[in-house]
Amino acid sequence: MTGNRRPTIKTVAARAGVGRTTVSRVVNGSDLVSADARARVLAAIKELNYVPNSVARGLVTNRTNAVALVIPESESRLGSEPFFAALIRGVSGALAESETQLQLMLVRDQAERDQLTESVATRRVDGVLLVSVHSEDRLPRTLEEMGLPTVLAGRRDAGEQLSYVNSDNAGGAAEAVRHLLSRGRRRIATITGPQDMDVGRARLAGWRAAHKEAGVAVDEALIEAGDFSEDSGGRAMRLLLERMPDLDAVFAASDLMAVGALAELRRRKRRVPEDVAVVGFEDSVLARHTNPPLTTVRQPVEELGRTMARILTDITLNDGPRQQITLPTELVVRESS
């Protein structure tokens, strides 16, 4: 060896007088190597002080030791929504335990979708973690047809066949509304998430279920759609107040939408919680710093990310089974309700 260049599998193969595949088989303990070739490879490894890497192992195992976290959202949404940051922390922490690299991929248009498909087709990743799943999105089906292990954050619908990790969205929403009803609120509006996502539909279903359970009639005029963003929360709150000025509470299907609703209520001189109580969903870092601090449904986002990563690792390393897991939620009561 000359200089300080790190030896590679190619260097070892040249020194031992064998092919790179033979070196990789020795590194991975394969029996498909003659005793003579094994001895020469081991001698070259010792002489060169070679440390095997994931690429060498991949020649035999057909693994890259890398998985993709695919988020079909813009950079602005990725940066502004605490959900994504917490999810990424959970995923990266779990993958570090198995020495698996994480590739973050934003899929915002057809070109980036094609790039992802190419990465899958050429097996540059061992599996995919897919976030922000919409009902009509073909990407999960495409990944399944290509035979790539895939784990979803959430699900497309109740009949989902792929592995997923979900929060108890309907149960958490129902608990939020029960809390508001227990405080004497009867005109409880809701700002929903997108209805082409199971998470949006489930949180609206929880709002409905709590009303039915309490024998309180549901007024459809108290429902306004949002997209989980702060702007949509403010816009929805404005429309609700114009349509139903006597509402006395609002359940927003995300903390960010609740933040937007609080801003609109302040603008209209509505006191929280005296005039209108507000509850969000997620218990992000924002919830503790609103004015007043936000009552919200805590979903374990980091644990969701960790669980997704562990399921995918089990599938890719151990050919483990598909799993579908729903994590519990918890109501955190603060001053906004």
Side-chain angles (χ1 to χ4, degrees), residues 172-304:
E175 187 175 7
V177 177
R178 287 190 204 104
H179 166 71
L180 291 168
L181 289 166
S182 74
R183 298 292 173 95
R185 311 292 172 151
R186 288 298 180 270
R187 306 282 289 167
I188 303 171
T190 185
I191 302 173
T192 76
Q195 293 302 289
D196 67 339
M197 298 179 73
D198 180 77
V199 59
R201 295 191 299 270
R203 291 176 188 177
L204 176 58
W207 176 85
R208 291 184 184 279
H211 280 85
K212 183 177 181 180
E213 177 186 291
V216 176
V218 167
D219 188 338
E220 299 295 320
L222 287 167
I223 302 172
E224 190 60 49
D227 63 7
F228 292 136
S229 69
E230 181 177 350
D231 287 346
S232 75
R235 182 172 59 252
M237 191 74 256
R238 182 176 68 253
L239 293 171
L240 285 166
L241 289 169
E242 290 171 355
R243 191 162 64 236
M244 306 292 288
D246 60 341
L247 65 83
D248 58 11
V250 60
F251 164 61
S254 78
D255 285 354
L256 264 181
M257 293 197 298
V259 168
L262 286 169
E264 181 64 20
L265 288 165
R266 277 196 302 273
R267 194 177 73 81
R268 290 175 175 260
K269 303 295 192 291
R270 298 291 186 98
R271 298 172 300 163
V272 177
E274 293 84 355
D275 301 326
V276 180
V278 179
V279 178
F281 202 114
E282 187 179 332
D283 195 29
S284 65
V285 65
L286 296 173
R288 297 186 292 277
H289 299 290
T290 56
N291 183 23
L294 182 66
T295 294
T296 184
V297 178
R298 176 181 295 155
Q299 63 170 344
V301 181
E302 284 196 41
E303 179 60 27
L304 191 150

Side-chain angles (χ1 to χ4, degrees), residues 120-146:
V120 170
T122 56
R123 284 300 191 268
R124 290 202 286 267
V125 293
D126 296 325
V128 169
L129 303 166
L130 186 57
V131 184
S132 293
V133 182
H134 295 259
S135 298
E136 300 306 315
D137 189 351
R138 278 197 51 82
L139 186 55
R141 187 174 306 144
T142 299
L143 296 171
E144 184 176 28
E145 289 169 352
M146 298 179 78

Side-chain angles (χ1 to χ4, degrees), residues 73-102:
E73 300 286 356
S74 66
E75 297 101 322
S76 60
R77 289 293 289 268
L78 182 66
S80 65
E81 297 193 19
F83 173 86
F84 294 119
L87 186 83
I88 292 169
R89 282 196 302 273
V91 168
S92 61
L95 291 179
E97 298 170 5
S98 61
E99 299 183 351
T100 301
Q101 293 182 328
L102 176 64

Side-chain angles (χ1 to χ4, degrees), residues 133 140 152 154-164 324:
V133 182
L152 309 179
R155 60 187 187 180
R156 287 169 288 182
D157 52 49
E160 182 61 71
Q161 296 299 306
L162 295 177
S163 294
Y164 67 77
Q324 298 182 336

